[in-house]
C-alpha cells in the first residue's frame, strides 16, 4: 500500500521532465501508478468482500505512540477502485484533451497525479490524524488544479473560494477528531468503530464539527457554493475531482463513521435535513442554466446531497444503497463530464442554446453520453436504476424520518430526470431555428475513457449482484434487519418500482415544460450562495478596515501600554484567584549577595531609561540591562546562557546604533505631564508584576526538577554540556522551529527595508575589487609629483581606501585586521566544542557575525562586501536546509535527532565524535550568521547608501563637486 502511494508522489515530482520530453503523451506514463493501484485493489476483492481487511502499520515514533496506519476493507476497496480506476482513465483522457503546446501542462500533470496519491492515502488511512493530513493535501492540490488558468480572474477566485470553504470545514473537523480521539482513548479509526465512545456532550459537539468538514468537502448546503464555481477548472479536473474523487471524500467520511456515530444526537437531523435540502436546491437550479458543465455541476451538488442522506441514515439497507449509489454516480457523472469536454473541444462552446445537431455529427459521442445519462436518470437496465431502487427500498421500510426523506428523494429524482433530459437535448439534439453547430471529428482514443466508464455502468446494471458481496460487507457493520436487502436489477413489482416510475414521469413533465419551469425558477430565485459569500467577504473586509482604523492608531506607546495592561490584568487575576504562594516554600532573595548587587545595578539602569532625552543614551542604558542579566547568569553558574546573552546584547546594541544614524538625536515626541504620569506607573506595575510572578513561580514548584534527569541523560551519552545537548538533541525540533522563525523574521524585516533587489549596493568599487588586504593603496598625496610620493601607504583592510579620510581610523583598522581571523576561529571553536564546553551553533554564529560587523564598522559597506561576498540568503537558506534535513533524517527511524555518530581519532587532537547533532548545530551556525549578515547589510550598507546619496544630492544642490568632500567617493 505504501509503495503505491509513494509511487504517485514520486512520479508526480518527475512530471516536468516527462512532459518536457513526451509532451501530452506523458500522461500515458503518469497513468501507471493509479493503474497499478487498480490492479492491486482488484486482487484484494475477495479479501475485502469476505469481511476481512488488509492492514499495514508503521511505528513512526513508538516512544510517543505515534504510528502510521493503513487499512483496506470493503468501503476502502470501493473508494480505491473509484479513485484509482477513474483516475487512470482521466489521465489517459488528458493525453488527447491537451496538446504539446498547452501552457503550464507539467504543473497540471504533476498536481493531478499527486492528488490521486493523496486521495488514495485518504481512503486507506486508519488513523484520524493521518486522514486529516491527506484530507488537507487533497484540498491544496484541488486549489492548484482549479486555479490552473491563473491568468483568469474567475479561476483565481474559484480556487480561493474552494480552498477557503473546504479548509475552514477541515479545521473544524480536526477539532472534532481530537475530541473523539481523546474520548475514545485512540485515534485508530477501526478501534473507534469497534468500540465507540459514549455519546457525551463532548462527543456530540465533536460529531457536529466532523460533519462540518465532511459536508463542506462534499459541497452540501450551505457549503455547496464552491463546487459550481470550480467548473472553471479543465474538464478532466471536473470529471475526476468533482465527480469521482474529491467530493466523494465527505460522503466517504460520513459512511465511514456512521456505524459508530449515527445514533449520536444531532447526527441524523443534520445529515438528513441538509442532504435533502441540497438534493432539491441543486436539482432545481440545474433546470435554468445553459452551460453544460454548470448543469452537471449543480446535478452533482444535488446527487451529493442524496448520497450524504443515504450514508448518514444509519441502517444497513441505506448503507448498502449509499455504497452502490457512490459507485453508480462515479460511473455516470465522470463520463458525462468527459463527454462535455469532447463537445467543447469539437464545437468550441458548451452553451446548450448554441449547440444543435451535435449528435448527428458525433454519433459515437452522443451514444456514450446517452448511455451515461440513462444511468443518471435511473432508467433500466443501467446501474443507476438498481442503485435508485435500493435507495427507495431502504427509505420505504425505515422509520418516520426515513419515509419523510423518501418523499424528498422522489422529488429530487424527478428533478434529476428533468435536468438529465435537458442536458441530452441541449448538447446533442437539433433545435428549431438554430443552425447545426460545426464540429470536427474526434479520435477513438479521445472517446475511450468515457466509453469505458459508461459501458461499466451498463454492464453493472444486470450484473449489480456481483458487487453485492463486497458492498454488503460494509453494510453489515450496521445492525441486520429481519429481511436484509440484496442488490439485483429486478426485484419484481412493488412500491419502489412505482416510485421510480413516478419520478421518471415527473421529470418528463418538468422537461416538457422546461421554458415555463425556467421562467418560474428565475422569478422565485433567492440570493445565490455565491452572492451571499461575496457579500460576506466584502462585509468582513469593511469590518476589518474599521477595526484596524480604530485600533491601529500608529502610536507605539499605546500598543505597548495595551499589551502590558492586558498582561498585568491576566497575571493579577491568576495570582488573586489561585494564590500560588500558599503552601509554597519561601522564595529566596538570592543565592549569593553578589546577585543582589548586580540586580540592583541592572534595575537602576532600567529606571534611568525613564528620564533620558537622548536616543543614544537610552540605547546604552537598555544595553546595560542586558549585560546585567548576563552577569546574573555568570554569577549563577550558567556560562552558556551568559555567553549567548553577551553576544545577543552586543549585536542588538550595534543594530540600534546603526538605525539611530537616520533618526534625530533627541526624542521628539512631546509628552504631556499627565501622559507621563500614566506611562511610568504602567511600566513599573508591569515590571513589578512580572518579577513577582517569576519569583512566585520559582517557589511554587510541585513537581521534581527535570534538570537532574537531563544531566543524567547527557552523561549517559558521554557529554558534559547539558544546555547544548538539550538544544541540538533532546529538544531539537524546538530549536529547528525557533530557527525557522528567526529566518522568517530576518527576511521579513530586511525585505521591508530593501526597496530594490538585495544585491544593490554591495559590490565594491573598481579600485577595491579583486585586491587583497595588502594590495590596496591610498591615492597619491595631493601636490606631490608623480614618482616622488615615497613609500605607499599600507592598506590594512581590503576596501579601507573607499572611505573618506575623515571617516577612517587607522587604529581601528589595525585592530580589526588583527582580530578578524581569531574571532572567526573562536566561532568555529565554540561550534565544535559545544558538547563538552560552553558554546554551540547559535553563539558561534553570533560571534562570526560580530567579526563581520567589526569589518563593516572599520571599513564600511564595501569592506563588508569584501569580507562576505556571498548573499546572506545563501547562509540562511543553507543553514535552515541542513538543520531541517538532519531533523527529518532523525525522524526516519523514530528518534528525535541523535540518529548517527562517528567515532574517530586525529593527530594532535585525539579522539573525537562527529554526529548528527554537530551537523544540526552547523546548520544553526550558518542560519544565525546569515541572519546577522542580512541585518547588517540592511541596516548598515543600505543606510550608508542612503546617506551618501543624500550628501551627493545636497552637494549638487549647492553646486559643489565631489572634491569638496561633501560626499563620500
Amino acid at each position: 500500500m505504501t509503495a503505491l502511494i509513494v509511487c504517485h508522489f514520486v512520479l508526480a515530482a518527475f512530471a516536468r521532465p516527462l512532459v518536457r520530453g513526451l509532451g501530452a503523451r506523458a500522461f500515458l506514463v503518469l497513468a501507471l501508478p493509479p493503474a497499478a493501484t487498480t490492479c492491486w485493489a482488484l486482487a484484494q476483492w475477495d479479501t475485502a468482500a469476505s469481511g476481512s481487511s488488509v492492514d499495514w502499520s508503521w511505528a513512526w515514533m513508538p516512544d510517543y505512540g505515534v504510528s502510521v496506519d493503513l487499512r483496506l476493507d470493503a468501503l476502502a476497496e470501493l473508494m480505491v477502485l473509484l479513485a484509482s480506476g477513474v483516475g487512470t482513465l482521466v489521465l489517459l483522457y488528458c493525453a488527447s484533451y491537451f496538446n504539446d503546446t498547452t501552457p503550464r501542462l507539467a504543473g497540471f500533470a504533476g498536481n493531478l497525479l499527486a492528488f490521486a496519491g493523496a486521495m488514495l492515502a485518504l481512503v486507506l488511512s486508519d488513523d484520524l490524524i493521518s486522514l486529516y493530513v491527506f484530507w488537507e493535501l487533497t484540498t491544496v492540490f484541488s486549489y492548484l488544479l482549479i486555479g490552473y488558468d491563473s491568468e483568469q480572474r474567475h479561476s483565481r477566485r474559484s480556487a480561493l473560494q474552494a480552498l477557503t470553504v473546504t479548509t475552514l470545514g477541515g479545521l473544524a473537523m480536526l477539532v472534532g477528531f481530537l475530541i473523539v480521539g481523546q474520548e475514545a482513548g485512540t485515534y485508530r479509526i477501526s478501534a473507534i468503530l469497534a468500540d465507540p465512545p459514549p455519546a457525551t456532550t463532548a462527543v456530540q459537539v465533536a460529531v457536529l464539527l466532523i460533519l462540518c468538514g465532511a459536508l463542506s468537502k462534499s459541497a452540501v448546503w450551505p457549503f455547496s457554493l464552491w463546487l459550481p464555481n470550480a467548473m472553471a477548472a479543465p474538464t478532466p479536473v471536473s470529471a475526476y475531482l468533482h465527480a469521482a474523487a474529491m467530493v466523494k471524500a465527505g460522503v466517504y467520511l460520513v459512511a465511514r463513521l456512521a456505524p459508530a456515530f449515527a445514533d449520536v444526537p444531532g447526527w441524523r437531523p443534520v445529515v438528513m435535513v441538509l442532504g435533502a435540502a441540497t438534493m432539491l436546491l441543486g436539482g432545481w437550479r440545474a433546470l435554468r442554466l445553459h452551460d453544460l458543465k454548470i448543469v452537471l455541476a449543480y446535478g452533482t451538488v444535488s446527487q451529493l446531497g442524496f448520497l450524504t442522506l443515504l450514508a448518514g441514515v444509519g441502517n444497513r439497507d441505506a448503507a448498502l444503497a449509499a455504497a452502490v449509489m457512490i459507485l453508480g454516480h462515479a460511473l455516470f457523472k465522470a463520463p458525462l463530464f468527459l463527454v462535455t469536454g469532447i463537445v467543447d473541444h469539437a464545437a468550441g462552446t458548451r452553451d446548450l442554446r448554441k449547440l444543435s445537431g451535435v449528435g448527428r455529427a458525433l454519433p459515437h459521442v452522443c451514444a456514450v453520453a446517452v448511455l451515461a445519462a440513462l444511468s443518471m436518470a435511473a432508467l433500466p437496465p443501467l446501474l443507476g436504476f438498481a442503485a435508485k431502487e435500493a435507495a427507495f427500498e431502504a427509505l420505504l421500510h425505515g422509520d418516520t424520518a426515513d419515509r419523510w426523506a423518501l418523499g424528498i428523494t422522489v422529488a429530487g429524482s424527478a428533478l434529476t430526470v428533468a435536468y438529465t433530459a435537458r442536458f441530452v437535448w441541449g448538447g446533442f439534439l437539433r433545435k428549431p431555428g438554430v443552425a447545426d453547430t460545426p464540429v470536427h471529428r474526434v479520435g477513438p482514443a479521445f472517446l475511450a475513457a468515457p466509453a469505458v466508464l459508461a459501458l461499466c455502468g451498463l454492464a453493472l446494471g444486470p450484473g449489480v449482484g456481483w458487487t453485492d458481496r463486497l458492498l454488503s460487507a460494509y453494510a453489515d457493520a450496521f445492525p441486520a434487519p429481519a429481511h436484509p436487502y440484496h442488490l439485483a436489477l429486478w426485484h419484481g413489482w412493488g412500491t419502489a418500482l412505482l416510485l421510480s416510475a413516478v419520478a421518471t414521469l415527473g421529470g418528463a413533465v418538468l422537461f416538457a415544460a422546461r421554458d415555463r419551469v425556467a421562467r418560474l425558477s428565475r422569478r422565485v430565485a433567492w440570493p445565490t450562495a455565491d452572492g451571499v459569500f461575496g457579500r460576506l467577504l466584502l462585509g468582513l473586509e469593511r469590518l476589518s478596515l474599521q477595526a484596524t482604523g480604530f485600533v491601529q492608531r500608529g502610536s507605539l506607546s499605546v500598543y505597548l501600554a495595551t499589551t502590558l495592561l492586558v498582561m498585568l490584568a491576566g497575571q493579577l487575576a491568576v495570582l488573586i484567584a489561585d494564590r500560588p504562594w500558599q503552601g509554597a516554600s519561601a522564595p529566596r532573595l538570592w543565592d549569593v549577595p553578589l546577585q543582589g548587587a548586580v540586580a540592583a545595578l541592572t534595575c537602576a539602569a532600567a529606571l534611568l531609561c525613564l528620564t533620558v532625552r537622548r536616543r543614544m543614551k537610552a540605547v546604552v542604558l537598555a544595553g546595560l540591562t542586558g549585560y546585567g542579566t548576563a552577569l546574573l547568569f555568570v554569577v549563577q553558574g550558567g556560562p552558556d546562557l551568559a555567553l549567548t546573552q553577551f553576544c545577543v546584547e552586543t549585536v542588538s546594541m550595534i543594530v540600534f546604533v546603526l538605525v539611530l544614524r537616520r533618526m534625530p538625536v533627541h526624542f521628539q515626541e512631546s509628552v504631556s505631564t499627565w501622559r507621563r504620569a500614566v506611562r511610568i506607573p504602567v511600566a513599573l506595575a508591569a515590571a513589578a508584576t512580572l518579577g513577582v510572578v517569576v519569583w512566585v513561580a520559582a517557589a511554587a514548584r510541585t513537581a521534581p526538577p527535570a534538570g537532574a534527569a537531563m544531566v543524567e541523560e547527557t552523561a549517559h551519552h558521554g557529554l558534559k554540556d547539558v544546555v547544548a545537548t538539550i538544544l541540538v538533541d533532546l529538544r531539537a525540533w524546538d530549536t529547528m522551529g525557533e530557527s525557522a522563525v528567526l529566518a522568517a523574521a530576518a527576511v521579513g524585516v530586511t525585505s521591508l527595508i530593501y526597496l530594490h533587489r538585495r544585491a544593490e549596493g554591495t559590490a565594491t568599487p573598481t579600485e577595491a575589487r579583486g585586491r587583497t588586504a595588502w594590495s590596496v593603496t591610498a591615492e597619491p598625496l595631493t601636490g606631490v609629483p608623480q614618482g616622488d610620493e615615497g613609500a605607499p601607504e599600507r592598506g590594512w583592510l581590503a576596501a579601507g581606501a573607499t572611505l573618506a579620510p575623515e571617516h577612517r581610523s587607522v587604529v581601528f583598522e589595525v585592530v580589526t585586521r588583527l582580530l578578524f581571523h581569531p574571532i572567526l576561529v573562536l566561532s568555529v571553536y565554540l561550534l565544535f566544542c559545544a558538547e563538552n564546553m560552553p558554546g554551540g551553533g547559535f553563539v558561534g554564529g553570533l560571534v562570526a557575525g560580530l567579526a563581520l560587523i567589526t569589518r563593516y564598522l572599520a571599513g564600511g559597506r564595501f569592506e563588508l562586501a569584501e569580507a562576505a561576498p556571498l548573499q546572506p540568503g545563501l547562509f540562511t537558506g543553507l543553514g535552515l536546509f541542513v538543520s531541517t534535513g538532519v531533523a527529518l533524517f532523525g525522524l526516519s527511524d523514530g528518534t528525535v535527532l541523535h540518529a548517527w555518530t562517528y567515532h574517530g581519532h586525529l593527530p594532535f587532537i585525539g579522539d573525537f565524535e562527529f554526529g548528527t547533532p554537530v551537523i544540526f548545530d552547523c546548520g544553526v551556525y550558518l542560519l544565525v550568521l546569515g541572519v546577522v549578515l542580512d541585518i547588517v547589510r540592511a541596516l548598515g550598507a543600505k543606510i550608508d547608501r542612503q546617506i551618501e546619496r543624500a550628501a551627493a544630492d545636497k552637494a549638487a544642490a549647492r553646486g559643489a563637486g565631489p572634491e569638496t568632500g561633501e560626499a563620500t567617493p
Side-chain angles (χ1 to χ4, degrees), residues 481-525:
H483 303 285
Y485 186 86
H486 291 281
L487 297 174
L489 180 63
W490 178 254
H491 283 274
W493 303 97
T495 306
L497 183 61
L498 176 62
L499 293 176
S500 295
V502 170
T504 304
L505 181 61
V509 171
L510 288 173
F511 172 72
R514 56 187 176 275
D515 294 334
R516 295 180 181 179
V517 170
R519 287 195 297 269
L520 177 63
S521 176
R522 295 188 183 94
R523 188 176 299 120
V524 300

Side-chain angles (χ1 to χ4, degrees), residues 960-967:
E963 65 276 2
T964 59
E966 292 292 336

Side-chain angles (χ1 to χ4, degrees), residues 879-905:
L880 192 59
F881 174 79
V882 170
S883 59
T884 305
V886 173
L888 294 177
F889 172 73
L891 283 178
S892 62
D893 65 349
T895 63
V896 179
L897 178 63
H898 202 95
W900 168 80
T901 301
Y902 174 76
H903 300 273
H905 181 84

